[in-house]
Amino acid sequence: MLWLGRVAVVSLPVEIDLSNADPIREDLLSVVNRGAATLIVDMSGTTFCDSAGVNALVRTLKRATASGTGMRLVVSTHPVRRVLDITGVDHLIDVYPSVA
């Protein structure tokens, strides 16, 4: 995790599935609870994300929205981008190709 003022960048693992989605959600929620103005979820190294991972992102978005925290995703792999497209998450959360 990297803090730049009130902007937090959290890098996620290569694979996100049922085995690690809950701890990831808790990590993301802790950043929101610490008062981040913007949460950047860096999934640029993530090559697989199942429904548990998508659920973790959506639940984090709900808390972030309620807390006034902006949330952005960084996705550079086609499989993850496709999952976000199919589930409609890319319409809920802004998706960028890089952290920059």
Side-chain angles (χ1 to χ4, degrees), residues 12-17 42-50 74-83:
L12 298 190
V14 173
E15 294 188 358
I16 304 169
D17 57 26
D42 183 2
M43 299 177 75
S44 60
T46 304
T47 59
F48 177 81
C49 181
D50 72 2
V74 176
V75 179
S76 60
T77 62
H78 180 73
V80 174
R81 182 65 197 214
R82 181 158 166 75
V83 167

Side-chain angles (χ1 to χ4, degrees), residues 4-100:
L4 303 166
R6 292 190 55 219
V7 176
V9 180
V10 179
S11 297
L12 298 190
V14 173
E15 294 188 358
I16 304 169
D17 57 26
L18 188 58
S19 70
N20 63 358
D22 284 343
I24 288 170
R25 179 179 46 84
E26 291 302 320
D27 288 347
L28 295 175
L29 290 176
S30 74
V31 171
V32 172
N33 292 338
R34 288 171 56 190
T38 304
L39 168 59
I40 299 173
V41 181
D42 183 2
M43 299 177 75
S44 60
T46 304
T47 59
F48 177 81
C49 181
D50 72 2
S51 61
V54 170
N55 184 44
L57 294 172
V58 171
R59 290 180 69 186
T60 301
L61 174 65
K62 288 180 182 180
R63 174 84 62 82
T65 301
S67 300
T69 300
M71 185 170 162
R72 299 179 181 141
L73 300 178
V74 176
V75 179
S76 60
T77 62
H78 180 73
V80 174
R81 182 65 197 214
R82 181 158 166 75
V83 167
L84 298 176
D85 180 50
I86 289 169
T87 59
V89 171
D90 61 343
H91 294 290
L92 300 173
I93 308 172
D94 291 334
V95 180
Y96 297 87
S98 72
V99 173

